[in-house]
Amino acid sequence: MCRSIKTLRPPALPEEATEEDIRAAALQFVRKVSGFRAPAAHNQEVFDRAVDEIAEATARLLDGLEVRGAPVRTP
């Protein structure tokens, strides 16, 4: 997998992942899967939509994970 995507859950990340962290990981994933660092103009919309959807799915995943031994998060 893409080595520049970092683990976004404790204890790998000392604090909760930020929206920026999540979006950066989603962008790297889409770049890796698509094979494009920057899409052509005719692919920009679908590329951006994929990044948004993956970022949303990642945020849901992180919110739902129970990491045993990690401090309990308070909203």
Side-chain angles (χ1 to χ4, degrees), residues 1-8 24-30 32:
M1 196 52 190
C2 190
R3 294 175 192 234
S4 59
I5 298 175
K6 62 184 179 179
T7 302
L8 298 179
L27 177 60
Q28 288 298 332
F29 180 82
V30 171
K32 184 68 169 186

Side-chain angles (χ1 to χ4, degrees), residues 32-66:
K32 184 68 169 186
V33 170
S34 70
F36 295 113
R37 186 180 185 304
H42 63 276
N43 287 326
Q44 188 69 52
E45 184 179 339
V46 70
F47 190 92
D48 291 342
R49 187 170 53 244
V51 172
D52 292 342
E53 290 172 1
I54 292 167
E56 289 171 12
T58 301
R60 285 192 306 272
L61 171 67
L62 293 174
D63 286 343
L65 286 177
E66 177 185 329

Side-chain angles (χ1 to χ4, degrees), residues 7-17 61-63 65-73:
T7 302
L8 298 179
R9 65 162 179 80
L13 215 64
E15 299 172 355
E16 189 173 326
L61 171 67
L62 293 174
D63 286 343
L65 286 177
E66 177 185 329
V67 181
R68 295 186 179 186
V72 177
R73 288 190 289 170

